DNA sequence: TCTAGATGCTTGCAAAAGCAAGTATAATGC
DNA sequence: GCATTATACTTGCTTTTGCAAGCATCTAGA
């Protein structure tokens, strides 16, 4: 009987260290985005999601990406991205343009104004990330951390 | 010139390992809560926040806690807790009761039905946490992880 | 005791985001 | 070439949550 869904039968409770790790993660995953968002909002009137879109576009070939690609990178729904890009477009920070190779697709293109804005916002974001996150990882093996955390909530690749 | 707010002047960009760690964390902090929430919702019609409240009450002295205490433990706003407890109370899983030692305070008290419900839901949650999080930490020092992540977004205790 | 301010919680409101339904375009089968 | 199905995105609706305002109660000072 193969299982796509969660197998719940007899799972060992978390031991003390596991419990601590789990609670720390939960708290951080609530608090960090909120703090960073607040800083960005206060200093530049930009949300984290907007920053994320601008940053990803700036790194992309031709400073443009399809909506679906943006959604995938942020692990967000298409509808969320759609509205964020909409908001950025209204402020002139991105343009929307039909995808030449696929008429269904839309490209979000970073404008010069958008790039300039990103460069304004970047230091705030960077400082926040360092201060609230990276700074606390000095006793941790960053690669091991990234390997592990990068796999969170990824479905088992090996089945069994 | 002392700084309560964020100091942004000249911060080194993230190096490759830092960048990886940061991105892994961001993705995990978006995806893990969503997956766990979906599992809980699908299996038992309970949100993560509701689960959190039930679980914390079950561990508390007299199975009761004040609203503010619940909010602090979950790093949530009082308003969110207020509404969640409201929803649980409507389903008979908690009772509300004025705090005898402070007439302004309210206690959320876990009912027997609430405890029974928690015991139903617990295995699903535990399995999800193991599967989506703990399982991936096998190469990581759990204590170091908890120490580090538990400090995320905490303000500098030493000033300077 | 009486007043002023602080604290604990609730509620109105607005923002963000997911789901599901709708629209437009592409790809497939005949 | 035409009909059917799939894909890319948008929009309406709903839920969740934080903030700010409001109300009740507690505490401190005169």
């Amino acid at each position: 009987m193969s299982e796509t869904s969660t197998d719940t039968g007899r799972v060992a409770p978390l031991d003390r260290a596991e419990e601590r790790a789990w609670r720390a993660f939960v708290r951080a995953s609530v608090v960090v985005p909120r703090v960073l968002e607040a800083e960005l909002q206060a200093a530049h009137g930009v949300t984290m999601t907007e920053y994320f879109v601008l940053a990803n576009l700036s790194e992309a070939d031709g400073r443009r990406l399809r909506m679906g690609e943006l959604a995938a990178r942020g692990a967000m729904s298409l509808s969320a991205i759609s509205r964020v890009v909409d908001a950025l477009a209204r402020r002139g920070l991105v343009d929307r343009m039909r995808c030449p190779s696929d008429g269904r697709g839309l490209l979000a293109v970073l404008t010069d104004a958008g790039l300039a804005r990103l460069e304004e916002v970047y230091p705030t974001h960077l400082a926040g990330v360092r201060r609230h996150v990276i700074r606390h990882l000095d006793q941790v093996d960053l690669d091991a951390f990234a390997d592990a955390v990068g796999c969170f909530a990824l479905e088992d690749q090996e089945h069994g």
Side-chain angles (χ1 to χ4, degrees), chain A:
Chain A
M1 216 167 299
S2 85
E3 298 279 351
T4 324
S5 65
T6 311
D7 183 2
T8 283
R10 275 293 137 237
V11 175
L14 301 187
D15 66 29
R16 183 142 184 69
E18 289 167 341
E19 185 78 35
R20 270 208 341 129
W22 164 240
R23 295 200 181 193
F25 173 75
V26 170
R27 171 165 287 267
S29 71
V30 172
V31 173
V32 169
R34 197 153 66 215
V35 169
L36 255 29
E37 169 99 30
E39 288 178 359
L40 241 49
Q41 200 59 267
H44 304 283
V46 166
T47 67
M48 275 271 280
T49 316
E50 286 168 350
Y51 179 83
F52 173 85
V53 168
L54 295 178
N56 271 272
L57 291 179
S58 79
E59 295 167 2
D61 246 40
R63 301 192 333 207
R64 68 196 58 200
L65 285 172
R66 293 190 49 171
M67 308 301 276
E69 179 63 21
L70 278 169
R73 293 192 188 194
M76 299 177 61
S77 70
L78 220 34
S79 70
I81 289 294
S82 184
R83 282 183 255 252
V84 170
V85 168
D86 213 51
L88 292 171
R90 274 198 298 276
R91 286 186 265 161
L93 304 179
V94 306
D95 284 335
R96 311 179 99 142
M97 146 177 326
R98 292 224 85 84
C99 180
S101 62
D102 184 340
R104 295 166 301 181
L106 284 188
L107 291 164
V109 187
L110 190 63
T111 63
D112 291 340
L115 186 57
R117 187 56 174 279
L118 176 62
E119 281 163 358
E120 278 170 38
V121 178
Y122 170 72
T124 302
H125 181 251
L126 174 62
V129 171
R130 276 217 173 281
R131 177 187 174 91
H132 298 300
V133 177
I134 301 295
R135 187 162 71 88
H136 303 291
L137 289 174
D138 56 353
Q139 298 303 316
V140 172
D141 177 340
L142 285 179
D143 281 317
F145 178 92
D147 289 342
V149 174
C151 291
F152 281 11
L154 257 45
E155 283 316 307
D156 336 46
Q157 13 268 70
E158 73 274 27
H159 37 279

